[in-house]
């Protein structure tokens, strides 16, 4: 069974440019998460979806970040415009039972903003 | 806040048991202890979780003290591939508690375990 798939794996852009990350969760997982991980730190939750609904987006910087999960399957996280401080790894995870047992993470998308 | 305290780093010899401690003195009665690990350049991987009884699976054992204020993750025979950052997390468990901020899986900085040959 395929795990959580993320793309692109690496992205280098100049500041003020837009960027988008895509995530395909494990089939049947209704809960999807986007995490941000800065170098040397643990992952921090940006947004959590239950099916199509964003049930927790309190940590998402809404002035430049947006996310969507149309049809309750795959999801896109967008940054527009990107700033130097956005350089980080963006991790997507999914779970079946609202995360009670286990979250399954993708390999992440590493963003470098120049 | 992560609500847990872990040493920043530990070393272990290959083939020996690795014992990773975690303090969670403010844990609530309905909070579980979860352990994840993150190998370099990969996403975090679930290891094990427990409420108050000791737990064991194919990856590790989790020992929780009787007062639940601390726990230890045990890798019985560490290999070089176990070198990773290990995160101890406390969070509310159970579907009926899936809302609210204490439901979140909040990662701290974890413990970097280095297994040496």
């Amino acid at each position: 069974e395929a795990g959580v798939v993320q793309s692109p794996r690496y992205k280098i852009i100049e500041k003020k440019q837009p960027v988008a990350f895509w995530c395909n969760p494990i089939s049947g997982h209704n809960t999807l998460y986007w995490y941000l991980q800065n170098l040397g730190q643990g992952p921090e939750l940006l947004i959590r979806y239950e099916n199509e609904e964003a049930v927790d987006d309190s940590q998402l910087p809404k002035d430049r970040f947006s996310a969507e999960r149309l049809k309750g399957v795959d999801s896109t996280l967008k940054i527009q415009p990107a700033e130097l401080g956005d350089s980080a790894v963006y991790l997507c995870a999914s779970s079946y039972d609202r995360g009670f047992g286990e979250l399954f993470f993708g390999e992440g998308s590493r963003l470098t903003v120049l | 806040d992560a609500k847990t305290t872990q040493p920043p780093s530990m070393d272990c010899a290959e083939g020996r048991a690795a014992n990773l401690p975690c303090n969670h003195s403010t844990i609530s009665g309905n909070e579980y202890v979860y352990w994840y690990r993150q190998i370099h350049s990969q996403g975090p991987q679930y290891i094990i979780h427990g409420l108050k009884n000791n737990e064991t699976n194919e990856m590790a054992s989790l020992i929780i003290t009787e007062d639940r204020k601390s726990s230890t993750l045990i890798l019985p025979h560490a290999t070089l591939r176990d070198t990773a950052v290990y995160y101890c997390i406390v969070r509310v468990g159970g579907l009926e508690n899936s809302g609210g901020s204490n439901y979140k899986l909040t990662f701290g900085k974890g413990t970097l375990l280095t297994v040496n040959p």
Side-chain angles (χ1 to χ4, degrees):
Chain A
E1 179 182 346
V4 176
V5 179
Q6 292 189 244
S7 68
R9 189 83 167 87
Y10 303 93
K11 187 73 175 179
I12 301 174
I13 60 172
E14 295 189 345
K15 63 181 180 181
K16 301 185 180 179
Q17 295 298 305
V19 64
F21 306 109
W22 175 80
C23 173
N24 190 17
I26 292 173
S27 178
H29 283 192
N30 56 336
T31 307
L32 184 145
Y33 314 75
W34 283 102
Y35 279 82
L36 160 71
Q37 186 170 26
N38 289 305
L39 187 65
Q41 306 293 318
E44 303 169 38
L45 180 67
L46 289 173
I47 189 168
R48 174 168 68 99
Y49 282 93
E50 295 288 344
N51 300 306
E52 303 90 353
E53 182 183 1
V55 297
D56 184 356
D57 63 355
S58 57
Q59 301 302 312
L60 189 72
K62 299 181 182 62
D63 56 338
R64 297 183 300 106
F65 286 66
S66 64
E68 61 182 12
R69 192 185 183 197
L70 301 177
K71 302 182 181 178
V73 181
D74 56 353
S75 176
T76 303
L77 177 70
K78 298 178 181 178
I79 308 174
Q80 182 171 10
E83 297 179 352
L84 295 177
D86 296 331
S87 295
V89 176
Y90 293 84
L91 292 160
C92 179
S94 70
S95 66
Y96 172 67
D97 54 0
R98 293 183 235 172
F100 172 59
E102 178 178 352
L103 268 65
F104 294 83
F105 283 83
E107 292 189 308
S109 295
R110 180 177 296 276
L111 173 66
T112 301
V113 182
L114 303 176
Chain B
D1 292 337
K3 301 194 291 185
T4 62
T5 303
Q6 299 178 253
S9 63
M10 293 183 64
D11 286 314
C12 177
E14 187 178 20
R16 305 296 294 270
N19 297 284
L20 293 98
C22 179
N23 286 317
H24 32 79
S25 58
T26 60
I27 192 169
S28 300
N30 62 349
E31 287 184 314
Y32 287 66
V33 180
Y34 285 76
W35 283 84
Y36 279 73
R37 73 178 184 183
Q38 188 171 23
I39 295 170
H40 183 63
S41 295
Q42 296 184 20
Q45 175 191 23
Y46 167 84
I47 301 173
I48 199 168
H49 75 280
L51 182 61
K52 45 185 162 182
N53 296 323
N54 298 337
E55 302 287 345
T56 296
N57 62 21
E58 65 277 5
M59 290 182 68
S61 294
L62 173 60
I63 309 298
I64 302 175
T65 58
E66 191 169 345
D67 64 7
R68 303 211 318 124
K69 293 184 177 182
S70 65
S71 61
T72 301
L73 179 75
I74 301 173
L75 308 179
H77 305 287
T79 70
L80 299 179
R81 288 175 293 181
D82 291 323
T83 292
V85 176
Y86 287 77
Y87 297 100
C88 170
I89 303 161
V90 296
R91 57 169 282 200
V92 172
L95 295 178
E96 69 278 10
N97 294 314
S98 61
S101 61
N102 55 356
Y103 160 81
K104 292 180 183 179
L105 204 65
T106 301
F107 292 82
K109 292 187 177 181
T111 296
L112 172 60
L113 174 69
T114 303
V115 181
N116 300 305

